[in-house]
Amino acid sequence: MSDTPEEEFELPQLYKRHVFACFTQRPPNHPRGSCGSLGAQPLWDRLGKRVEADGGGEIGFTSAGCMGFCSAGPLMVVYPEGVWYRPTTAEDIDEIYDSHLKGGKRVDRLVMILSR
């Protein structure tokens, strides 16, 4: 063990913003529900195509398993801000993408305030 303090260094940011979206698919009558059974897949497909078409590499998009708020889905969270969204239409995805992911302006009407 060294007595000298660790040297400070800057960590590179891979993305300006990073989206995690729940891809969990439980059976339709499962008591917890799931984002998949609430129609998430077409929304995430659209978001993935928007991210891929942009090609700039500023936005990361990662499929996630259950994020713990199953009946509130479909859910996605945007970092570094930590904003949770519940989009339900293709138009919602486009608005989140254009406003928040590209423009940095949160889409308040789609924000989910979650508590543990």
Side-chain angles (χ1 to χ4, degrees):
M1 192 169 264
S2 172
D3 290 333
T4 59
E6 286 190 35
E7 189 175 319
E8 288 291 319
F9 61 94
E10 179 127 357
L11 291 172
Q13 294 298 309
L14 294 178
Y15 304 111
K16 186 174 183 178
R17 293 198 170 75
H18 197 147
V19 179
F20 293 86
C22 177
F23 277 75
T24 298
Q25 176 70 56
R26 292 192 182 97
N29 294 324
H30 192 281
R32 288 187 64 198
S34 69
C35 289
S37 66
L38 294 169
Q41 191 63 53
L43 301 172
W44 307 154
D45 289 346
R46 184 175 190 90
L47 180 57
K49 286 177 183 167
R50 294 285 314 260
V51 169
E52 188 176 313
D54 191 36
E58 288 188 341
I59 300 168
F61 179 48
T62 302
S63 63
C66 181
M67 296 193 290
F69 302 96
C70 308
S71 62
L75 290 175
M76 59 188 273
V77 60
V78 177
Y79 289 104
E81 298 91 349
V83 175
W84 291 75
Y85 286 112
R86 183 184 186 269
T88 58
T89 67
E91 293 76 19
D92 292 346
I93 291 294
D94 291 343
E95 186 174 0
I96 292 167
Y97 186 86
D98 294 334
S99 251
H100 190 160
L101 300 180
K102 293 300 285 183
K105 185 174 188 262
R106 188 179 65 215
V107 183
D108 288 344
R109 71 178 190 82
L110 298 172
V111 168
M112 289 296 295
I113 311 271
L114 300 167
S115 62
R116 293 185 206 194

